[in-house]
Amino acid sequence: MLSDGIYKKYLTPVYLFSYLILLAFVVHAILLIENPEGAQRYMYFEGFKNLFADYFSCIRHSSDKNPYFSDYFFQSNYLPFVHILYYPFSQLDNFAEMTLENFYESKIGMFSCFFFNGIAALIFVHSLICLCNKYKTNKIVIPAILLSGIMLHTFERANIIVLAGALLIYFVTYYDSENVLLSYFAATCLALVAVIKIYPVLFGILYLEKKYVKQIIYSACLTLILIFLPFLFFEHGFENIPKLISTVKNIDGDSFGVIPRFEVKYWITYASYFVFGNASRLNAIARLARPMVLSFSLLSLFVSIMDKRFENKLVLILSVILFFPSFSFLYCGIYLSILIIYVLSDDRAELNKSSLFLIIALFITFIPITITDFYVKNGREFIISTGNIIRTFIPFVIWVVKFLEIMIAFIKNRGFQVSGDK
């Protein structure tokens, strides 16, 4: 009888999800070791084409205190607060004169990369532990998240989004805390993630239901200070503002090519490669994608404000954060860790069809296995990871299905659900 209870425990969604992800990682590792040039390497950015490049690019931009007028091959599109975080590390070597290849030759540069991103990873793990404690989710899910396909890709990029993801998770954990210090800690985290990655500020919508006016004002004021004051630390001061705006406005999504990202146009590009051998044949359809997503995002934000169910709010806000930006790379999927921990909570009264769909969809999104096909355009070989296509497409399916589910419930009940589910 006792053994039956143990087996039943290990057949719960959180254990099945976690063990299957970990098993997939073992398979991925074996396949990668057996064939380093095979499909599994392309789960990472272009098969490790420019390892840790996001970190080294930020270091290069920060090194001469001139990130927005840099003579590097592109100018920074980050707010200056990010470069203040990187600045101490940028002074460890003569990074201002280095190319990416030179960075790999700098021992202290490589050490700084592992140190900075190692600290960010530890903070991220701690934030996951805190969120698991809040929702009473078994912590076996944490190693599964860390060894998932999205997280492995993210760690390879060495992008500051690992720190941003931790800050957002802290906010979700403590924004409604009855402890005043933790409540303001959450508001501080929201301000910090807003100046690092901008779009997660939309999670401030959660404050509207609670009517935490003081925290809203505090977070808004801190955000504005952290946006503008750091400009004075760098060359050109506030003159950097119009330059940064110009840089962001001139970013052309088409230049990202086949880089995996959460974007409808990205899948249309893949479809065009697959069917016609080039990207231009489906341009007419691709042009409709952006206005469609913008409209859907605005509608979803409105619904997230009106609907009181936390799961609905969480899915809609996360979806907008992923798909609203004109470029949202695969590593932005780190934000979905919040949804994983929430839907796998041990504290749920029952596992309904909606939650089961979310668990299966998130499992497909995070599984660390990829399949790679090769397509040719104008004599150039593009390496396309079908695993990364799936990882960016399934969250869009989650968004659409959840939105339709909310609308059907709205029609049946003649109104939004007004009871929370936390």
Side-chain angles (χ1 to χ4, degrees):
M1 294 297 180
L2 181 61
S3 61
D4 291 341
I6 294 175
Y7 287 129
K8 186 176 180 180
K9 170 186 175 182
Y10 289 110
L11 290 176
T12 57
V14 66
Y15 276 100
L16 289 173
F17 179 95
S18 303
Y19 284 142
L20 288 174
I21 289 287
L22 293 172
L23 177 61
F25 169 76
V26 172
V27 173
H28 163 73
I30 292 173
L31 293 175
L32 183 61
I33 293 171
E34 287 187 347
N35 184 12
E37 300 297 323
Q40 297 310 308
R41 71 178 295 179
Y42 295 103
M43 186 172 72
Y44 306 90
F45 183 81
E46 295 190 358
F48 301 104
K49 184 177 180 180
N50 53 2
L51 187 67
F52 306 143
D54 288 2
Y55 173 80
F56 290 127
S57 293
C58 285
I59 290 295
R60 175 64 175 80
H61 282 138
S62 305
S63 59
D64 58 0
K65 299 178 69 174
N66 193 27
Y68 307 108
F69 292 86
S70 173
D71 59 358
Y72 199 44
F73 73 95
F74 68 96
Q75 283 77 45
S76 173
N77 59 359
Y78 279 114
L79 287 168
F81 177 78
V82 172
H83 294 294
I84 286 180
L85 293 179
Y86 281 115
Y87 182 75
F89 298 91
S90 73
Q91 302 304 298
L92 295 176
D93 205 339
N94 187 26
F95 295 124
E97 305 297 327
M98 290 187 181
T99 63
L100 183 60
E101 289 72 22
N102 296 142
F103 277 111
Y104 300 140
E105 297 171 359
S106 170
K107 293 181 180 179
I108 195 167
M110 291 299 293
F111 174 80
S112 72
C113 177
F114 285 109
F115 182 82
F116 182 93
N117 292 287
I119 295 297
L122 289 175
I123 296 172
F124 180 71
V125 171
H126 181 260
S127 71
L128 292 175
I129 293 172
C130 293
L131 192 62
C132 284
N133 289 336
K134 177 176 182 176
Y135 293 124
K136 298 181 176 61
T137 304
N138 194 302
K139 295 180 182 64
I140 186 65
V141 75
I142 294 177
I145 290 173
L146 296 176
L147 296 176
S148 66
I150 283 181
M151 288 306 305
L152 291 173
H153 181 95
T154 302
F155 290 140
E156 183 275 331
R157 288 289 77 210
N159 191 278
I160 199 170
I161 200 168
V162 176
L163 179 59
L167 293 169
L168 184 58
I169 292 171
Y170 282 134
F171 171 75
V172 174
T173 304
Y174 297 118
Y175 81 95
D176 56 352
S177 174
E178 295 179 0
N179 184 303
V180 175
L181 290 177
L182 289 177
S183 177
Y184 277 94
F185 169 70
T188 302
C189 288
L190 182 63
L192 291 173
V193 73
V195 296
I196 294 175
K197 286 295 181 180
I198 312 296
Y199 294 99
V201 73
L202 292 173
F203 263 88
I205 288 173
L206 298 180
Y207 274 143
L208 298 180
E209 180 183 354
K210 297 294 181 179
K211 298 179 181 178
Y212 288 169
V213 178
K214 293 181 180 179
Q215 285 85 343
I216 293 174
I217 294 174
Y218 166 77
S219 186
C221 291
L222 181 58
T223 300
L224 290 173
I225 291 171
L226 293 177
I227 286 174
F228 293 104
L229 191 59
F231 277 109
L232 298 177
F233 180 77
F234 296 96
E235 298 290 336
H236 305 288
F238 289 129
E239 293 179 15
N240 286 311
I241 296 176
K243 177 61 176 176
L244 173 59
I245 294 173
S246 175
T247 298
V248 173
K249 287 175 63 177
N250 291 328
I251 292 177
D252 183 6
D254 291 337
S255 65
F256 298 131
V258 294
I259 298 175
R261 56 192 185 275
F262 297 95
E263 186 181 3
V264 175
K265 187 177 179 180
Y266 164 70
W267 310 320
I268 297 174
T269 300
Y270 268 135
S272 187
Y273 280 136
F274 180 77
V275 178
F276 303 108
N278 64 72
S280 60
R281 297 292 294 275
L282 296 179
N283 275 349
I285 298 175
R287 281 194 291 269
L288 297 175
R290 185 64 185 159
M292 180 195 74
V293 171
L294 290 176
S295 301
F296 195 26
S297 296
L298 292 174
L299 186 57
S300 294
L301 290 178
F302 172 76
V303 172
S304 71
I305 294 172
M306 300 302 295
D307 198 301
K308 301 302 180 183
R309 286 198 64 200
F310 186 73
E311 182 179 289
N312 294 345
K313 287 179 177 290
L314 194 57
V315 172
L316 293 177
I317 296 172
L318 283 170
S319 298
V320 173
I321 290 173
L322 286 181
F323 292 98
F324 179 79
S326 56
F327 53 95
S328 178
F329 298 129
L330 180 59
Y331 51 63
C332 293
I334 191 174
Y335 301 137
L336 292 170
S337 302
I338 299 170
L339 186 58
I340 288 175
I341 289 175
Y342 180 77
V343 298
L344 291 176
S345 169
D346 294 334
D347 207 28
R348 281 179 170 270
E350 59 181 23
L351 188 66
N352 55 36
K353 291 181 180 179
S354 177
S355 299
L356 184 60
F357 162 74
L358 285 176
I359 292 171
I360 294 173
L362 289 167
F363 172 78
I364 296 171
T365 302
F366 275 72
I367 188 171
I369 291 289
T370 194
I371 304 170
T372 300
D373 292 313
F374 297 86
Y375 299 95
V376 176
K377 175 193 174 186
N378 298 329
R380 178 184 173 188
E381 187 178 70
F382 287 91
I383 302 173
I384 300 175
S385 168
T386 53
N388 287 338
I389 299 175
I390 293 170
R391 268 182 271 279
T392 57
F393 179 72
I394 294 299
F396 187 78
V397 175
I398 293 175
W399 187 11
V400 173
V401 170
K402 175 57 72 172
F403 186 86
L404 292 175
E405 177 187 306
I406 295 171
M407 289 298 99
I408 292 171
F410 175 84
I411 294 170
K412 287 183 177 180
N413 302 327
R414 297 184 179 181
F416 290 108
Q417 299 185 54
V418 296
S419 59
D421 59 354
K422 295 205 281 186

